[in-house]
Amino acid sequence: MNAARPDGDDPDLARVHTTGAAGRSPSTDPRTTGAEAQVHLESAYRACRAIAAEHGRTYFLATRLLSTPRRPAVHALYAFARMVDDIVDHADPSLGRTGLPDSASPESLLTLEHSPANELDLIEKQLRTAFEQGGFAPWDAPGAPIPLLRAQVLSALADTVDRYAIDPEHFWTFLDSMRMDVPGTPQFRDRYATMAELREYMRGSAAAIGLQLLPVLGTVGPRAEAEPAAAALGEAFQLTNFLRDVAEDLDRGRVYLPADHLAAFGVDADLLADCRRTGHTDPRVRRALAHLIAINRDVYRTADPGIELLHPRVRPAIRAASALYAEILYRIEQSGYAIFQNRATVPRGRRLLVATTQLLAGTRP
């Protein structure tokens, strides 16, 4: 990944200061050495932009419809969530409740401090320090050394949180949900018995993301009035991801579909695993997916009126993101629910058409 490619003319960064956290310049602070000296905010935001461009195609395209000053902040929020998600996705499903493999040897104890659970704890400590100081300074952060890319993401995130007065509580809620994905943590869960249990997970993994974004997007009235819809849209996106990624999640030993809803159609985790093994979607699974897609669409409908509560300049971007994510559901249906064979995606031409349509609609008086 060319996360820090030189691009001094990038308009997204025109209003980003190049000094380090808390007003210090990393290149002149006497405590900086090695990679720490390279953490300028401009390069930090550029690294976040590269992460968003590489991993979040729909998200990144919709972000291009935002006003230039807002884009770096959205990239920083995405990059942080992606960084944490990558840590979680590398969690070993063979880990027991102790956080060690079931056949733990003395050698494995040496790597425990680098486990996903400990990485999440360290990131939270680093973030808390950054928020308390009003910025992220790698030389002051708990734990060392910090990889350059992580330092860049946390630097940009701390600046974004300070710049837009984002409530830090949303990040702690997010991290708590991420711990639910990590074997060995007290919160760990790889199955969800009910939709209520799944929504508790999504409160941090999805709704909190919408609430983080809201101050950046801006509202036409009190922010609190727009928060329920922002949380709902985050949940709608997350449910779509779950439906699209059933096969990948099974490979990681996880099921993010409520067991009670599946059971109503005669589906359980064993049947899903069999579908994954054969690549064939059982008729019972098709009916369960159709049911859950209907629920997902209802969440989109709940969130949709809230777009009018956002700043007019950002509405086309959010409408485009909502339309493109919702279209993934249509692609699943059109494939005959073949989610165990192919990952449902929206073709690039279609993504560009939706984005252009929303942009033009947003310019009309």
Side-chain angles (χ1 to χ4, degrees), residues 141-157:
I146 299 175
L148 174 59
L149 185 57
R150 179 180 299 186
Q152 289 176 317
V153 171
L154 294 180
S155 294
L157 179 68

Side-chain angles (χ1 to χ4, degrees), residues 37-167:
Q38 302 177 46
V39 185
H40 296 268
L41 277 177
E42 183 174 344
S43 64
Y45 275 109
R46 190 175 294 116
C48 294
R49 182 183 187 277
I51 292 171
E54 180 173 345
H55 297 287
R57 292 176 299 178
T58 297
Y59 191 95
F60 183 74
L61 179 61
T63 301
R64 298 300 295 172
L65 301 181
L66 295 175
S67 61
T68 299
R70 289 184 172 93
R71 294 175 196 165
V74 176
H75 295 153
L77 292 169
Y78 177 89
F80 174 72
R82 179 72 196 196
M83 178 182 71
V84 172
D85 195 52
D86 283 349
I87 291 171
V88 167
D89 282 345
H90 282 87
D92 184 349
S94 70
L95 292 179
R97 299 299 295 180
T98 63
L100 291 173
D102 293 335
S103 57
S105 64
E107 290 77 11
S108 67
L109 293 171
L110 299 176
T111 61
L112 180 60
E113 65 180 9
H114 302 298
S115 70
N118 286 348
E119 288 290 340
L120 294 182
D121 290 343
L122 180 57
I123 285 175
E124 179 168 338
K125 289 178 183 177
Q126 291 166 346
L127 265 188
R128 288 186 182 275
T129 299
F131 294 161
E132 288 168 4
Q133 295 178 347
F136 179 72
W139 48 88
D140 289 337
I146 299 175
L148 174 59
L149 185 57
R150 179 180 299 186
Q152 289 176 317
V153 171
L154 294 180
S155 294
L157 179 68
D159 182 69
T160 291
V161 169
D162 181 64
R163 189 182 299 261
Y164 289 96
I166 302 172
D167 186 351

Side-chain angles (χ1 to χ4, degrees), residues 226-273:
E227 286 181 345
L233 189 57
E235 180 179 309
F237 290 167
Q238 182 78 94
L239 279 172
T240 299
N241 284 339
F242 290 158
L243 289 162
R244 179 194 62 193
D245 298 337
V246 170
E248 294 176 27
D249 291 331
L250 282 169
D251 291 344
R252 298 187 179 106
R254 306 172 190 165
V255 178
Y256 291 106
L257 302 178
D260 59 344
H261 285 250
L262 295 176
F265 296 90
V267 178
D268 58 17
D270 289 339
L271 180 57
L272 291 176

Side-chain angles (χ1 to χ4, degrees), residues 70 83 109 120 150 169 188 209 213 257 295 301 316 334 353 358-359 363:
R70 289 184 172 93
M83 178 182 71
L109 293 171
L120 294 182
R150 179 180 299 186
E169 197 63 35
F188 175 62
I209 302 296
L213 280 167
L257 302 178
I295 290 176
R301 284 190 289 270
Q334 288 298 105
L353 175 61
Q358 292 299 332
L359 179 61
T363 61

